[in-house]
Amino acid sequence: MNPSLLRPSRHAIAAALLATVGLLPAAHALEAGQPAPAFILPTADGKTVSLAALRGHYVYVDFWASWCGPCKQSFPWMKALQAKLGGPHFEVVAINVDEQQADARRFLGDAPAGFTVLFDARGATPAAYGVEGMPTSFLVDPDGKVVLVHQSFKDSERDALAQKIAVLVGGAQP
Amino acid sequence: MNRLAAGLIAITACAVSSGCAMQAPKPWQKGVLAKPEMTMAGDMLELKFNDHTWTSKEASFGGFGVGGGGCGCN
């Protein structure tokens, strides 16, 4: 057999072996400067919202779950952020990753959002964004590029983070 | 041909032996794990009591359950 014909099959075998034992590198978390993966997700009332439709806005994309304590703390903060910066330049979009939407609805009953909440029970969007902990948020600029990644939510960071976002968003306003 | 056979055997062996392996849940898949009933201790009072003993004996604490509901953030 021609050895050159064997080479690709060796690679294929190696790849198959790695794949079967789960050693292929996992998707990495998005970093600032990378394009934000597109999403089209439903709201609670059956409408859909896509990231593409928000082109031209700064979008604060937050991944949250009802079982995540810090997510609960972040909701009033995001509400205030939306109230302060929301408008033609800025939008908070919180993507719920609960497998049962009823859990999310219960959570929202306790902590009304005041910003756009979308649902992704299948987890395709957090996978595309490479979310490594809950909550994780991404600030996407008007061109669809990630400009800020923030994992977790601590009370001690709330002012500094809001300030950072205000500066980034404020720079784009005419 | 021998190589091909060896390759096929290797692939089959790997596929079969990894059949029972479980991938760790992703951060957004920990909803069930975060439920209180999923802690190793059956009883919260007993857990606190054991934790208290552990703290005094080992001069360290924590390491039980899923911190912050499995957020991976604290």
Side-chain angles (χ1 to χ4, degrees):
Chain A
M1 199 183 269
N2 183 351
S4 68
L5 282 176
L6 271 177
R7 224 164 278 145
S9 69
R10 270 193 208 149
H11 288 161
I13 288 174
L17 288 177
L18 283 174
T20 51
V21 291
L23 288 179
L24 285 179
H28 285 289
L30 275 191
E31 285 169 16
Q34 291 182 302
F39 58 76
I40 304 175
L41 293 169
T43 61
D45 52 9
K47 292 181 198 146
T48 54
V49 172
S50 71
L51 184 62
L54 293 167
R55 243 333 134 80
H57 290 64
Y58 272 90
V59 186
Y60 187 77
V61 181
D62 177 75
F63 291 94
W64 67 280
S66 64
W67 43 264
C68 152
C71 299
K72 194 151 212 163
Q73 292 176 9
S74 76
F75 261 60
W77 178 85
M78 287 197 290
K79 191 177 183 179
L81 196 68
Q82 173 71 31
K84 190 178 158 206
L85 300 174
H89 302 288
F90 181 80
E91 185 84 28
V92 174
V93 174
I95 300 177
N96 173 262
V97 299
D98 273 292
E99 283 164 45
Q100 304 291 333
Q101 214 189 88
D103 295 337
R105 284 177 191 272
R106 211 169 302 129
F107 177 102
L108 291 169
D110 295 343
F115 44 83
T116 306
V117 177
L118 305 177
F119 297 89
D120 185 4
R122 281 177 52 237
T125 322
Y129 278 75
V131 168
E132 288 178 343
M134 302 291 298
T136 300
S137 48
F138 302 83
L139 184 63
V140 180
D141 78 0
D143 300 325
K145 214 170 64 184
V146 174
V147 288
L148 180 76
V149 182
H150 187 259
Q151 194 180 321
S152 88
F153 187 83
K154 296 189 184 82
D155 258 347
S156 57
E157 297 170 344
R158 53 195 305 153
D159 291 340
L161 185 58
Q163 183 63 30
K164 207 187 268 183
I165 292 166
V167 168
L168 282 166
V169 174
Q173 284 179 4
Chain B
M1 213 52 201
N2 274 346
R3 285 188 182 183
L4 188 64
L8 281 176
I9 289 170
I11 289 174
T12 312
C14 284
V16 170
S17 61
S18 63
C20 301
M22 209 186 102
Q23 291 236 320
K26 300 286 183 195
W28 55 91
Q29 295 171 330
K30 293 185 178 174
V32 175
L33 285 175
K35 289 184 177 178
E37 57 266 36
M38 291 300 279
T39 49
M40 294 301 275
D43 181 46
M44 273 317 279
L45 276 177
E46 189 187 330
L47 178 71
K48 278 184 183 161
F49 179 75
N50 287 343
D51 220 10
H52 182 76
T53 313
W54 176 264
T55 305
S56 67
K57 297 287 182 195
E58 302 288 340
S60 69
F61 66 96
F64 297 102
V66 186
C71 306
C73 50
N74 51 4

